[in-house]
Amino acid sequence: MNYNNFTLVTNPLVKREITILRDKNTCVRDFRRSLNRLAFHLAVAVSENLELDEILIETPLEVTKGVKIKNSIVLIPVLRAGLSMVSSFVELMPNAKVGHIGLQRDEETLLPIEYYYKTPKNLEEAKVFILDPMLATGGSACAAFDFIKKRGAKDLYFVSIISAPEGIENLHKNHPEVKIYSTSIDRGLNENGYIVPGLGDAGDRTFGTL
Ligand code: PRP
Ligand code: URA
């Protein structure tokens, strides 16, 4: 499948971690660890978009050129499951600011219910990365971008572990400028709106609330 503005981040280590996430016998501890490691791979991949300023530094031997990150970076996890991706991103992007968006999918209508928003100022100057391990119908992702675009965000990225084709298409249709990074495109959605084969409910499996 070929999508515009979509990058599949994959390699043998990524494939092994996804296998651990999918396995229903994986315990909460191992589930979190694999999510963290996958988020690390994704953070490296999206860092290709960062720009550099040249600086001069002194080694013990001489003055030489180095670099610093030019961009202001804002990470916005979608609560709850997106929280599990923050620590890996912050590890690699230590100056990033972190906002939060609380969305809960209604189990009947599958529409997102908004319950919390707190984002940093000056979103218009930042590269803004929405973090959520699951892109299912795309309703939550679209609601998150609706919100941050109203607050001026322009340079937009969505970072997920597992994506359904339905969610990718929905996000492309409503927010075509968003660059999506994901470690898997799964087959589709079942009658309850769950990604198949998927990994189940990412929030419940991360926080042990099954
Ligand atoms: C999950 C997931 C996404 C959303 C994806 O969250 O983390 O936010 O569902 O589904 P969609 O693409 O169809 O909108 P959920 O609503 O289960 O909340 P939780 O993280 O608190 O469990
Ligand atoms: N949210 C999840 O956590 N899992 C899915 O499969 C779909 C939405």
Side-chain angles (χ1 to χ4, degrees):
M1 248 171 287
N2 237 339
Y3 294 103
N4 290 331
N5 270 353
F6 183 94
T7 304
L8 183 67
V9 177
T10 189
N11 62 47
L13 298 175
V14 162
K15 287 178 182 164
R16 177 61 196 146
E17 298 296 352
I18 293 177
T19 304
I20 293 168
L21 290 185
R22 291 195 195 283
D23 187 341
K24 68 176 187 179
N25 294 316
T26 296
C27 66
V28 172
R29 181 198 62 177
D30 293 345
F31 190 89
R32 283 190 194 131
R33 282 184 178 163
S34 287
L35 257 185
N36 288 341
R37 287 193 284 250
L38 284 166
F40 213 90
H41 285 279
L42 284 161
V44 170
V46 301
S47 73
E48 294 286 346
N49 296 283
L50 301 178
E51 296 152 299
L52 299 174
D53 271 333
E54 212 169 77
I55 57 170
L56 289 180
I57 51 151
E58 276 181 59
T59 76
L61 303 172
E62 62 179 35
V63 173
T64 189
K65 286 179 189 162
V67 295
K68 62 176 186 179
I69 305 294
K70 185 177 185 164
N71 313 98
S72 151
I73 299 172
V74 173
L75 309 172
I76 305 185
V78 177
L79 307 180
R80 294 172 296 162
L83 286 174
S84 57
M85 299 170 73
V86 175
S87 59
S88 302
F89 271 73
V90 168
E91 182 73 22
L92 291 182
M93 304 172 190
N95 291 322
K97 293 179 181 160
V98 182
H100 294 87
I101 293 185
L103 295 168
Q104 167 99 53
R105 225 170 52 144
D106 182 294
E107 282 178 18
E108 305 265 300
T109 65
L110 300 184
L111 294 174
I113 301 164
E114 306 168 4
Y115 62 88
Y116 186 75
Y117 286 111
K118 185 83 182 178
T119 52
K121 294 196 178 77
N122 303 329
L123 288 183
E124 63 280 2
E125 292 159 15
K127 289 196 176 284
V128 182
F129 298 95
I130 302 263
L131 310 180
D132 191 330
M134 307 306 277
L135 178 60
T137 65
S140 304
C142 287
F145 284 108
D146 285 342
F147 176 81
I148 61 166
K149 279 164 84 168
K150 278 193 204 122
R151 274 146 193 83
K154 292 189 184 71
D155 196 356
L156 307 172
Y157 302 82
F158 185 78
V159 188
S160 75
I161 306 284
I162 306 249
S163 300
E166 294 89 332
I168 299 171
E169 276 155 28
N170 190 10
L171 187 49
H172 273 329
K173 195 169 85 195
N174 289 290
H175 300 286
E177 73 280 37
V178 172
K179 295 186 183 71
I180 306 174
Y181 284 74
S182 186
T183 50
S184 176
I185 304 177
D186 275 18
R187 193 170 73 248
L189 301 177
N190 71 8
E191 62 282 8
N192 299 317
Y194 275 84
I195 300 177
V196 280
L199 51 76
D201 188 307
D204 284 342
R205 293 197 66 194
T206 303
F207 295 107
T209 48
L210 280 168

